[in-house]
């Protein structure tokens, strides 16, 4: 295994590592280069607003991108941050010494409440310019407002809660009238619902928050300087507009649940964090004397919404007696504390200060810090300057904190898009699990890291954790790329070895039966995995060797089936005498080559099932390749077993209609050996046409002769048209069979007569049956009594064939009379022919002087010409030119020879037609006369009219242009 580790390590770790930087902090090797190309921006990025107020800033609130600030004594500035260049200034219109104490802006940015230090309260809606006094609120110094986020709108606040400096909680509602800017009383009502107290009596209501949980349950959080109260109750459905009086009424006689801390800042403030796209806050942070109480909000709890609470004490440099915090803001993972000269950000996961921003003295003391919950921006102001913080990628380092807290799932969640960080988390989790002896979990994590493979493997080996090592290798294998073939091969082979070792150990322990079965199933799943199929197939020889070395024949067969190595599977079954199983594998996978290879073995033991399997394969099997198996089997088997071979051969011949000669010959041999009756039936069914017979006739003849099947031999002789041999052999069997053979040569009367004479001689000489011999005469018209008489012995009396002799003499007389009649008819026919010839000699035709040649259209009488009975007339040379190309080659040669002989004669003809007989002259002995030559030429040229005779009919399919001269003719047209 050491060599496997070395090879795998060399191929797996080729990425650049940063060992030196990691060694100082103890981070395991990850294989990633973590170089920052540019300086990363801070989480809290401060920006000074380019704004110089004309007067000092008293108060500032922001919500839904709407900013409102109080300037000086009587000025209110409203800015839509979407349109910062269009500020809106509103005058409060106060002539007294009243100053703005606090301002409250609802979640929509539409409703602004302005609390004055004179215990008065003003209201301003975003859509109007005029500030209105809330008369019912007069006499109360407003410390906090709990806005209704569920029923509030731009024109109506819905029921809201108002906290005063005297500890009273009032319920109120403000509405903008539809008919005018305001109704007479914009505050619809203002009624007290509860009073908060501490141990010394009523205390100012520092904060109010209204939240709605599941099933219509409402949670109201109210804080004083040292206490945090919770009011829980349901508002009946449809009565939400009636307010929260019913919730507070439940606690009229007893205090609600609260948290109290001893220290006192003189005030307290609570902040909430609401994720984007959610309506309910997820966490809270309460700034009070002892520190910051941080926790999450669980709306499913029945009595308290607060969950997972913990108190983060203030950093050591904060002394609540000297520089106590002024304000608090909560983000997803941090809360920010506002001090008179700086801002500190504390991580809610570990309580560590992660950010501190010191402000210059020239800006003045910091007054207040608030957050716009809709856009997650933080605002800070002094009396002179306004700052804004943008929160950017706040979760960038959260993974480290979760990792150090051993909350690895959360750590992985926050670095899933940063592989170099994820690798560090996985390595830390793997090491943590290993130290806690959770080896399987450790293996799963290690497999996902880029740590050195061999170090991890050796770590599990030294701990003797083979199961964990297997899990590590499996996970590592699943993460390899298809191109990493070497690593895949090594891991696959190693895993196979480990599985076999583990199975061998478990198999010998009966108490581990269930674990053995589970491991076996995992091993089979591993072997049959489609992802590893190619690797296992390419290295199947090594896997077979491993399986064989462990003696695991069960999994060897299983692996062979997966690899579709059915030859090995069938061979295994045959070696163990499991012939039915072997045949089942063959039948299931229908591989022709395997059938050919294993059929000789299987047919010796289960012949009927093997033949059934062959038949089920149909035409996919070539029966010729199965004949050796059948021959080997039939030589050592009984007649009953040979019938199985015959059954398959008959299936091939009659069902598959095989025409291969070897198949038919083998079937013939089986018939000759065991089924003589079927032999003759097969031969007759095959027919007598040699071109349509698929067996070898000579082989069939020899086979039938060897086994003494004479009738079959006679049939083969008939097919071979050896009729004499057929009759000779048939006479040894049956005279009627010989007679049927004698009539077969229908076109050869002489042979038929000879065959019938053989039969007659056999009947007379061998059977000595005169009546049967006479029957032969009546069966064949070619035989006469005189042909048969020589076969009879001398002592036979004429009485037996007197009638036959008389019939023969009568036939001769009839034949003589027919010949006389035919001679007379021939004589009359010759006489008529002579008369017709004489008449034709005297026949003539008339030609007018203006007649023209039908071919050249020149006057006909200018040159020698021919006149045909059809009326067409041609010059001699015109007719010769038209006829010559259409003559056969031998006639063309003869015509040329005659023309040469005619030109050689001394006296050319001067008549327009044939010269008279008197003009002929002798050309010497052995030579033709001029007239005879011209007559021969006329027989060739003028045998028929070139336009009306067969010559014109034969030229219909002849092309207009000779194919051999086509190119020449085509060029002449260009």
């Amino acid at each position: 295994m050491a060599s496997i580790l070395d090879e795998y390590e060399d191929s797996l770790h080729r990425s650049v590592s940063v060992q030196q930087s990691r060694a100082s902090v103890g981070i395991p090797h990850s294989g990633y280069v973590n170089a920052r190309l540019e300086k990363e921006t801070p989480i809290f990025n401060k920006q000074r607003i380019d704004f110089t107020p004309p007067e000092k800033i008293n108060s500032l609130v922001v919500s839904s991108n709407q900013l409102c600030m109080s300037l000086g004594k009587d000025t209110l500035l409203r800015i839509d941050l979407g349109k910062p260049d269009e500020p809106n200034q509103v005058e409060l219109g106060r002539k007294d010494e009243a100053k703005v104490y606090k301002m409250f802006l609802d979640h929509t940015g539409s409703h602004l409440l302005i609390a004055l230090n004179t215990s008065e309260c003003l209201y301003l809606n975003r859509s109007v310019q005029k500030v209105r006094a809330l008369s019912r609120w007069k006499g109360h110094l407003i410390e906090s407002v709990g806005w209704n986020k569920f029923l509030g709108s731009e024109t109506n606040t819905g029921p809201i809660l108002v906290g005063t400096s005297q500890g009273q909680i009032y319920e109120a509602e403000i509405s903008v009238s539809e008919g005018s800017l305001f109704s007479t009383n914009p505050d619809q009502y203002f009624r007290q619902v509860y009073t908060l107290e501490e141990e010394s009596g009523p205390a100012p209501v520092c904060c109010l928050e209204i939240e709605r949980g599941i099933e219509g349950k409402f949670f109201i959080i109210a804080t004083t300087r040292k206490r945090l109260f919770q009011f829980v109750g349901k508002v009946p459905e449809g009565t939400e507009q009636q307010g929260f009086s019913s919730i507070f009424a439940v606690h009229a006689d007893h205090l609600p649940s609260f948290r109290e801390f001893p220290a006192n800042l003189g005030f307290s403030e609570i902040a909430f964090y609401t994720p984007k796209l959610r309506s309910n806050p997820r966490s809270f942070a309460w700034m009070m004397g002892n520190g910051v109480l941080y926790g999450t909000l669980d709306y499913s709890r029945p009595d308290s919404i607060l969950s997972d609470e913990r108190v983060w004490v203030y950093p050591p440099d904060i002394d609540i007696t000297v520089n106590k915090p002024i304000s608090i803001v909560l983000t997803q993972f941090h809360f920010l504390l506002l001090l008179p000269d700086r801002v500190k950000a504390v991580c809610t996961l570990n309580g560590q200060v992660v950010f501190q921003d010191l402000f210059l003295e020239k800006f003045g003391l910091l007054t207040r810090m608030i957050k716009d919950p809709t856009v997650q921006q933080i605002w800070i102001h002094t009396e002179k300057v306004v700052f804004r913080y943008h929160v950017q990628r706040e979760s960038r380092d959260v993974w480290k904190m979760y990792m150090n807290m051993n909350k690895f799932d959360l750590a992985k969640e926050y670095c899933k898009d940063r592989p170099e960080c994820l690798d560090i988390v996985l390595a830390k989790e793997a090491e943590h699990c290993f130290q806690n002896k959770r080896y399987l979990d450790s293996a799963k994590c290690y497999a996902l890291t880029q740590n050195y493979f061999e170090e991890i493997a050796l770590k599990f080996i030294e701990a003797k954790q083979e199961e964990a090592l297997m899990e590590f290798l499996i996970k590592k294998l699943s993460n390899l790329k298809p191109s990493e073939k070497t690593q895949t091969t090594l891991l696959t082979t190693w895993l196979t070895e480990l599985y076999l070792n583990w199975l061998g150990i478990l198999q010998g322990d009966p108490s581990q039966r269930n674990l053995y079965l589970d491991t076996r199933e995992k091993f089979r799943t591993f072997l049959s995995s489609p992802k590893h199929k190619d690797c296992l197939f390419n290295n199947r020889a090594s896997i077979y060797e491993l399986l064989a070395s462990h003696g695991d024949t069960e999994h060897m067969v299983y692996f062979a089936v997966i690899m579709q190595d059915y030859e090995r599977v069938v061979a295994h079954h045959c070696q163990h005498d499991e012939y039915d199983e072997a045949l089942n594998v063959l039948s299931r996978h229908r591989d022709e080559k395997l059938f050919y290879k294993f059929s000789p073995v299987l047919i010796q033991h289960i012949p009927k099932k093997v033949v059934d399997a062959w038949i089920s394969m149909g035409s996919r099997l070539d029966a010729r390749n199965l004949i050796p198996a059948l021959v080997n089997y039939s030589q050592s088997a009984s007649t009953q077993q040979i019938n199985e071979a015959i059954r398959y051969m008959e299936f091939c011949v009659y069902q598959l209609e095989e025409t291969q000669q070897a198949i038919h010959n083998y079937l013939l041999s089986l018939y000759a050996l065991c089924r003589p009756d079927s032999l003759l039936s097969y031969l007759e069914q095959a027919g007598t046409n040699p071109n349509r017979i698929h067996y070898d006739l000579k082989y069939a003849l020899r086979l039938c002769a060897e086994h003494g099947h004479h009738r079959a031999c006679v049939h083969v002789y008939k097919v071979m048209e050896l009729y004499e041999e057929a009759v000779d052999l048939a006479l040894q069997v049956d005279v009627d069979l010989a007679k049927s053979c004698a009539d077969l040569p229908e076109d050869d009367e002489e042979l038929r007569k000879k065959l019938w004479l053989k039969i007659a001689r056999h009947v007379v000489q061998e059977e000595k049956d005169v009546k049967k011999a006479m029957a032969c005469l009546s069966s064949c018209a070619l035989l006469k009594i005189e042909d048969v008489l020589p076969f009879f012995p001398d002592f036979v009396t004429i009485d037996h064939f007197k009638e036959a002799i008389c019939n023969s003499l009568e036939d001769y007389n009839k034949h003589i009379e027919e010949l006389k009649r035919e001679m007379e008819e021939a004589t009359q026919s010759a006489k008529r022919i002579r008369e017709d010839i004489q008449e034709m000699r005297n026949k003539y035709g008339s030609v007018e002087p203006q007649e023209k040649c039908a071919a050249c259209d020149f006057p006909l009488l200018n040159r020698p010409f021919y006149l045909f009975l059809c009326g067409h007339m041609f010059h001699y040379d015109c007719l010769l030119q038209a006829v010559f190309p259409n003559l056969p080659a031998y006639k063309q040669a003869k015509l040329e020879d005659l023309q040469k002989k005619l030109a050689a004669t001394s006296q050319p003809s001067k008549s327009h037609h044939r010269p008279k007989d008197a003009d002929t002259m002798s050309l010497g002995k052995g030579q033709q006369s001029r007239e005879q030559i011209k007559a021969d030429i006329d027989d060739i040229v003028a045998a028929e009219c070139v336009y009306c005779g067969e010559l014109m009919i034969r030229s219909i399919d002849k092309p207009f242009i000779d194919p051999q001269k086509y190119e020449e003719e085509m060029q002449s047209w260009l």
Side-chain angles (χ1 to χ4, degrees):
M1 291 308 164
S3 61
I4 295 177
L5 287 171
D6 294 338
E7 292 178 25
Y8 187 81
E9 186 273 333
D10 292 339
S11 59
L12 189 63
H13 295 284
R14 294 189 176 96
S15 58
V16 179
S17 61
V18 284
Q19 295 291 336
Q20 293 180 351
S21 62
R22 295 183 179 276
S24 60
V25 293
I27 298 177
H29 167 70
S30 65
Y32 292 103
V33 177
N34 189 14
R36 299 184 186 273
L37 301 180
E38 59 183 16
K39 187 176 180 181
E40 194 171 32
T41 58
I43 296 175
F44 302 101
N45 187 21
K46 183 175 69 175
Q47 175 189 7
R48 179 180 175 182
I49 304 301
D50 186 14
F51 170 72
T52 303
E55 300 180 75
K56 70 176 183 179
I57 302 173
N58 299 321
S59 183
L60 183 145
V61 289
V62 182
S63 184
S64 294
N65 240 10
Q66 301 295 319
L67 184 145
C68 300
M69 67 174 68
S70 170
L71 302 177
K73 176 183 176 183
D74 198 47
T75 303
L76 189 67
L77 187 64
R78 296 187 296 183
I79 301 174
D80 184 348
L81 297 178
K83 303 174 184 177
D85 297 333
E86 301 177 7
N88 177 249
Q89 184 171 322
V90 178
E91 299 297 330
L92 297 182
R94 302 289 296 190
K95 303 300 183 184
D96 52 13
E97 296 298 323
K99 295 181 180 180
V100 175
Y101 176 64
K102 284 185 179 181
M103 293 197 302
F104 308 95
L105 186 63
D106 80 319
H107 63 287
T108 65
S110 301
H111 307 283
L112 177 64
L113 292 173
I114 307 166
L116 303 179
N117 59 356
T118 57
S119 299
E120 295 179 84
C121 192
L122 306 178
Y123 171 75
L124 179 63
N125 189 277
R126 184 169 64 180
S127 61
V128 299
Q129 286 288 107
K130 186 176 180 181
V131 178
R132 298 293 295 177
L134 302 177
S135 58
R136 292 187 174 90
W137 297 39
K138 190 173 183 179
H140 301 284
L141 183 61
I142 307 303
E143 290 284 350
S144 58
V145 175
W147 296 103
N148 193 327
K149 294 177 287 187
F150 315 103
L151 296 177
S153 65
E154 293 184 359
T155 59
N156 189 288
T157 64
I160 61 174
L161 297 177
V162 180
T164 69
S165 59
Q166 300 300 317
Q168 296 97 356
I169 297 178
Y170 288 86
E171 185 179 80
E173 184 176 358
I174 301 173
S175 178
V176 178
S177 174
E178 297 180 359
S180 60
L181 292 178
F182 289 102
S183 62
T184 307
N185 295 310
D187 48 338
Q188 302 297 309
Y189 62 87
F190 189 78
R191 57 174 176 260
Q192 183 178 354
V193 293
Y194 202 80
T195 300
L196 296 181
E197 295 183 355
E198 294 180 352
E199 69 277 3
S200 59
V205 182
C206 299
C207 299
L208 282 170
E209 181 74 15
I210 303 172
E211 296 298 338
R212 182 169 63 184
I214 59 177
E215 298 179 354
K217 185 182 293 186
F218 280 86
F219 297 88
I220 300 173
I221 297 176
T223 66
T224 62
R225 292 167 297 189
K226 297 194 298 181
R227 291 184 177 181
L228 186 149
F229 295 88
Q230 291 186 76
F231 299 88
V232 183
K234 286 187 178 182
V235 176
E237 186 176 356
T239 64
E240 289 87 350
Q241 288 290 351
Q242 297 179 10
F244 307 102
S245 302
S246 58
I247 297 176
F248 289 100
V250 176
H251 303 284
D253 299 329
H254 59 87
L255 286 175
S257 63
F258 65 89
R259 295 292 306 276
E260 183 176 11
F261 293 90
N264 185 359
L265 291 175
F267 65 94
S268 71
E269 185 173 345
I270 191 168
F272 296 89
Y273 168 70
T274 304
K276 290 182 180 180
L277 306 177
R278 289 187 58 180
S279 59
N280 293 329
R282 193 175 69 182
S283 57
F284 74 97
W286 181 37
M287 183 182 71
M288 41 78 183
N290 290 83
V292 176
L293 177 66
Y294 173 80
T296 58
L297 301 178
D298 186 355
Y299 297 92
S300 63
R301 299 181 66 181
D303 299 325
S304 175
I305 194 175
L306 308 182
S307 178
D308 298 331
E309 302 171 52
R310 67 176 68 179
V311 176
W312 294 115
V313 298
Y314 295 120
D317 59 343
I318 297 180
D319 185 355
I320 63 173
T321 61
V322 180
N323 59 340
K324 59 185 177 182
I326 302 170
S327 189
I328 187 171
V329 162
L330 181 62
T331 63
Q332 186 177 3
F333 296 105
H334 303 85
F335 58 82
L336 281 71
L337 295 175
L338 181 67
L339 299 171
D341 61 345
R342 70 193 63 193
V343 173
K344 287 181 178 289
V346 180
C347 179
T348 58
L349 299 177
N350 56 15
Q352 300 297 317
V353 177
V354 297
F355 171 78
Q356 180 171 277
D357 193 4
L358 186 65
F359 288 77
L360 300 178
E361 293 182 3
K362 65 178 182 178
F363 298 136
L365 297 177
L366 301 179
T367 306
R368 182 164 173 76
M369 175 174 62
I370 55 175
K371 184 181 76 169
D372 186 345
T374 57
V375 295
Q376 304 295 326
Q377 292 180 349
I378 300 170
W379 296 79
I380 297 176
H381 72 91
T382 67
E383 292 182 349
K384 304 176 183 179
V385 186
V386 178
F387 297 94
R388 178 171 57 188
Y389 281 95
H390 292 276
V391 183
Q392 297 179 338
R393 295 179 57 234
E394 184 181 4
S395 62
R396 68 183 70 171
D397 295 324
V398 169
W399 64 273
K400 292 182 183 177
M401 302 172 192
Y402 279 128
M403 180 183 69
N404 294 330
M405 298 165 61
N406 293 335
K407 294 183 178 181
F408 300 108
D409 291 339
L410 291 173
K412 288 184 284 189
E413 180 68 23
Y414 286 100
C415 64
K416 58 185 177 182
D417 56 343
R418 299 170 65 183
E420 71 281 2
C421 301
L422 180 61
D423 188 71
I424 297 172
V425 174
L426 288 169
K428 183 69 178 292
E429 182 181 7
E431 184 63 28
H432 175 77
C433 293
F434 191 90
Q435 292 176 356
N436 288 275
K437 298 185 179 181
R438 292 163 47 204
Y439 297 111
L440 287 177
D441 294 335
S442 177
K444 293 176 183 177
C445 293
Y446 269 132
L448 299 176
T449 69
Q450 296 296 318
N451 287 25
Y452 285 119
F453 171 83
E454 72 284 358
E455 292 180 358
I456 301 170
L458 290 172
K459 196 169 187 177
F460 287 116
I461 292 174
E462 291 173 358
K464 297 182 180 180
Q465 296 296 322
E466 286 196 7
E467 189 176 0
L469 176 60
M470 290 167 59
E471 184 68 26
F472 169 68
L473 296 179
I474 291 171
K475 293 295 182 182
K476 204 70 179 178
L477 180 61
S478 65
N479 294 331
L480 291 178
K481 299 177 182 177
S483 59
E484 297 174 312
K485 295 183 179 179
T486 302
Q487 297 91 317
T488 303
T489 301
L490 292 170
L491 288 182
T492 301
T493 308
W494 193 3
L495 274 169
T496 303
E497 175 74 15
L498 290 174
Y499 267 120
L500 291 173
N501 287 336
W502 188 238
L503 286 172
I505 295 171
L506 295 176
Q507 191 173 18
D509 188 354
S511 63
Q512 300 290 334
R513 179 62 179 172
N514 292 333
L515 181 58
Y516 167 77
L517 294 176
D518 183 59
T519 306
R520 186 184 68 175
E521 187 62 29
K522 289 181 180 178
F523 182 43
R524 292 185 174 184
T525 303
F526 167 74
L527 292 177
S528 60
S529 172
K531 186 175 181 180
H532 310 142
K533 183 177 182 180
D534 291 340
C535 177
L536 290 170
F537 181 80
N538 295 331
N539 300 277
R540 59 188 182 279
S542 301
I543 303 299
Y544 282 133
E545 290 179 4
L546 284 174
L547 292 167
S549 66
H550 285 266
D552 195 341
T553 57
E554 179 186 0
H555 284 107
M556 183 181 292
V557 173
Y558 181 82
F559 180 68
V561 172
I562 294 173
M563 293 294 103
Q564 297 183 358
D565 190 359
Y566 302 117
E567 181 177 351
R568 187 182 294 269
V569 177
V570 176
H572 171 80
H573 288 311
C574 290
Q575 290 171 2
H576 293 78
D577 297 337
E578 299 171 352
Y579 302 108
D580 287 334
E581 289 296 328
L583 184 59
N584 289 338
V585 174
L586 291 176
S587 302
R588 191 160 53 245
H589 300 288
R590 306 175 73 83
D591 189 330
E592 299 89 345
K593 295 180 180 179
L594 295 183
F595 267 102
Y596 300 147
K597 182 172 183 178
F598 292 100
S599 288
V601 176
L602 296 176
I603 199 169
Q604 298 290 337
H605 301 88
I606 47 173
K608 184 179 185 305
K609 293 181 179 179
V610 171
V611 172
D612 290 339
W614 289 351
I615 292 174
S616 67
M617 287 288 289
S619 60
R620 293 184 61 178
L621 289 179
D622 187 347
R624 292 177 300 173
N625 296 327
L626 297 173
I627 289 177
L630 291 172
V631 171
N632 186 34
Y633 166 68
S634 60
Q635 288 177 351
S636 59
S638 64
T639 303
Q640 183 178 359
Q641 291 172 319
I642 293 177
N643 288 337
E644 295 298 331
I646 294 176
R647 181 162 69 96
Y648 180 65
M649 288 292 104
E650 288 179 340
F651 169 77
C652 295
V653 171
Y654 298 120
Q655 300 296 325
L656 301 182
E657 299 180 353
E658 286 283 355
T659 60
Q660 296 293 333
Q661 191 178 79
I663 297 173
H664 287 262
N665 287 346
Y666 183 58
L667 180 60
L668 270 176
S669 68
L670 294 175
Y671 280 151
L673 183 64
C674 296
R675 294 186 186 177
D677 296 338
S678 299
L679 174 63
L680 185 59
S681 174
Y682 165 78
L683 293 174
E684 292 175 348
Q685 187 174 352
T688 58
N689 186 346
N691 296 325
R692 295 183 179 181
I693 288 176
H694 305 301
Y695 58 85
D696 186 343
L697 290 170
K698 294 181 180 179
Y699 173 75
L701 183 61
R702 179 171 59 84
L703 195 66
C704 295
E706 288 178 355
H707 292 84
H709 303 312
H710 298 306
R711 286 184 178 273
C713 287
V714 171
H715 180 83
V716 176
Y717 277 134
K718 290 193 295 184
V719 177
M720 298 174 70
E721 298 183 353
L722 299 176
Y723 300 116
E724 291 189 44
E725 290 82 352
V727 170
D728 289 342
L729 185 59
L731 289 174
Q732 300 177 20
V733 180
D734 186 6
V735 174
D736 292 335
L737 178 61
K739 289 181 180 179
S740 65
C741 297
D743 284 332
L744 291 177
E746 297 177 354
D747 299 332
D748 192 345
E749 292 185 353
E750 183 178 354
L751 178 59
R752 285 174 59 200
K753 183 176 180 180
K754 183 179 180 181
L755 297 177
W756 278 102
L757 285 174
K758 282 178 176 287
I759 297 172
R761 175 181 293 176
H762 175 80
V763 171
V764 173
Q765 295 179 352
E766 299 297 332
E767 298 186 5
K768 304 183 185 303
D769 191 338
V770 178
K771 291 184 179 180
K772 189 178 288 187
M774 293 300 101
C776 291
L777 293 179
S778 60
S779 299
C780 179
L782 299 177
L783 289 182
K784 304 297 180 181
I785 185 63
E786 58 270 26
D787 298 325
V788 181
L789 283 175
F791 303 144
F792 289 96
D794 296 337
F795 56 82
V796 176
T797 60
I798 197 173
D799 295 337
H800 294 286
F801 40 86
K802 176 180 179 181
E803 184 179 353
I805 295 175
C806 293
N807 291 336
S808 177
L809 292 175
E810 289 178 0
D811 291 339
Y812 278 124
N813 288 332
K814 291 180 181 178
H815 184 61
I816 292 172
E817 291 298 327
E818 288 180 358
L819 290 176
K820 287 182 180 180
R821 187 169 61 255
E822 289 177 359
M823 291 175 63
E824 291 177 359
E825 291 177 355
T827 303
Q828 294 296 325
S829 177
K831 181 179 180 181
R832 286 195 297 271
I833 291 173
R834 285 195 295 270
E835 292 175 354
D836 291 340
I837 292 173
Q838 187 63 34
E839 183 181 356
M840 288 297 294
R841 288 178 177 175
N842 299 326
K843 196 169 185 179
Y844 65 93
S846 60
V847 178
E848 299 294 332
Q850 67 272 17
E851 293 291 345
K852 296 181 180 181
C853 175
C856 65
D857 205 30
F858 282 94
L860 184 69
L861 300 178
N862 289 346
R863 299 196 301 276
F865 64 90
Y866 288 97
L867 172 63
F868 292 96
L869 295 177
C870 61
H872 288 114
M873 294 168 277
F874 298 93
H875 288 127
Y876 167 75
D877 54 344
C878 293
L879 182 62
L880 180 64
Q881 186 178 3
V883 171
F884 186 82
N886 297 292
L887 292 175
Y890 75 94
K891 283 192 176 183
Q892 289 180 354
K894 183 177 180 181
L895 183 60
E896 290 176 351
D897 183 58
L898 290 173
Q899 286 178 329
K900 290 178 182 179
K901 290 180 180 181
L902 181 64
T905 58
S906 59
Q907 295 182 358
S909 174
K910 294 186 179 181
S911 68
H912 295 291
H913 205 267
R914 294 185 180 184
K916 298 179 181 179
D917 294 338
D919 294 334
T920 61
M921 61 180 294
S922 175
L923 298 178
K925 188 176 180 179
Q927 293 184 347
Q928 291 177 307
S929 66
R930 181 181 179 85
E931 291 299 325
Q932 183 62 41
I933 294 173
K934 293 181 68 176
D936 291 341
I937 293 174
D938 289 345
D939 290 340
I940 296 175
V941 175
E944 60 182 357
C945 176
V946 70
Y947 286 171
C948 302
E950 293 183 2
L951 184 64
M952 182 60 67
I953 297 172
R954 290 196 302 269
S955 66
I956 288 176
D957 59 349
K958 185 177 180 180
F960 291 107
I961 301 174
D962 189 350
Q964 299 179 353
K965 299 180 180 180
Y966 180 80
E967 293 293 334
E968 180 183 352
E969 185 70 21
M970 185 176 68
Q971 293 296 329
S972 67
W973 281 60
L974 298 177

